[in-house]
Amino acid sequence: KEDELYQFINGMWWNGGWTNTVQLISDGLDHFNDPAIYDASRQRVFLILSDGSPCLPQSQGGCPQSTCQFATQLSQSGIRVVFVSVGDGLNPKYLQCLTQSYNDWIPVASYSQAAFEQILGSLSVVFCPVSKEFKITEVKALKKQDGTY
């Protein structure tokens, strides 16, 4: 629900740390591939909200960090990666390599409720896909004016 998403986002806080996206993705892969959690009947979507490019302290590799080394493993594991890019501090070139389509990169202006309300439609397409299917059960021939079909 919209209110629950806002409450979750509102409860997050920034402590002046680094955007350790590499570790997040590594931990996420472990989680998705845990046999106790895996359910083949469910869609596997890794939703990442971030307002900064992947970055670590200089002593651990500095900034920016690439995440593209995970692309093959995520794809082979059937995991769809969706980024909600908050603000303008996130450079897509370090992360967009993990997405399957242009629609999996969802920019949002800020962490405000109004900003997140604007992307609910995009998130719904990902998490609540609607399949439209029809079946033709009868085909009738059209009779021409000359009496033929």
Side-chain angles (χ1 to χ4, degrees):
K1 287 184 170 183
E2 165 186 330
D3 210 32
E4 291 172 2
L5 177 61
Y6 176 72
Q7 294 291 333
F8 176 76
I9 298 300
N10 199 36
M12 299 171 84
W13 56 279
W14 178 73
N15 65 2
W18 305 95
T19 304
N20 191 351
T21 313
V22 172
Q23 187 65 52
L24 170 72
I25 295 169
S26 178
D27 290 349
L29 276 164
D30 290 344
H31 178 80
F32 275 108
N33 292 322
D34 182 342
I37 297 170
Y38 179 72
D39 180 350
S41 69
R42 297 189 59 121
Q43 176 180 219
R44 301 175 91 194
V45 179
F46 193 168
L47 177 66
I48 300 174
L49 271 67
S50 186
D51 58 5
S53 293
C55 190
L56 291 172
Q58 196 61 37
S59 63
Q60 296 177 29
C63 303
Q65 297 280 313
S66 177
T67 60
C68 295
Q69 68 271 23
F70 293 107
T72 301
Q73 189 177 1
L74 287 160
S75 177
Q76 289 176 346
S77 296
I79 300 168
R80 179 179 179 184
V81 179
V82 177
F83 283 97
V84 175
S85 171
V86 182
D88 60 3
L90 188 57
N91 189 332
K93 80 177 188 178
Y94 302 113
L95 299 162
Q96 209 161 16
C97 56
L98 303 178
T99 61
Q100 294 176 5
S101 79
Y102 176 79
N103 295 328
D104 292 343
W105 186 268
I106 305 170
V108 64
S110 68
Y111 283 111
S112 71
Q113 181 173 357
F116 273 86
E117 286 174 357
Q118 290 177 354
I119 65 165
L120 284 177
S122 298
L123 292 172
S124 293
V125 169
V126 173
F127 292 102
C128 307
V130 175
S131 297
K132 295 180 182 176
E133 187 177 307
F134 69 94
K135 182 178 181 181
I136 298 173
T137 58
E138 185 177 332
V139 177
K140 294 184 179 182
L142 177 65
K143 187 175 183 180
K144 297 179 186 176
Q145 286 182 347
D146 65 2
T148 62
Y149 289 93

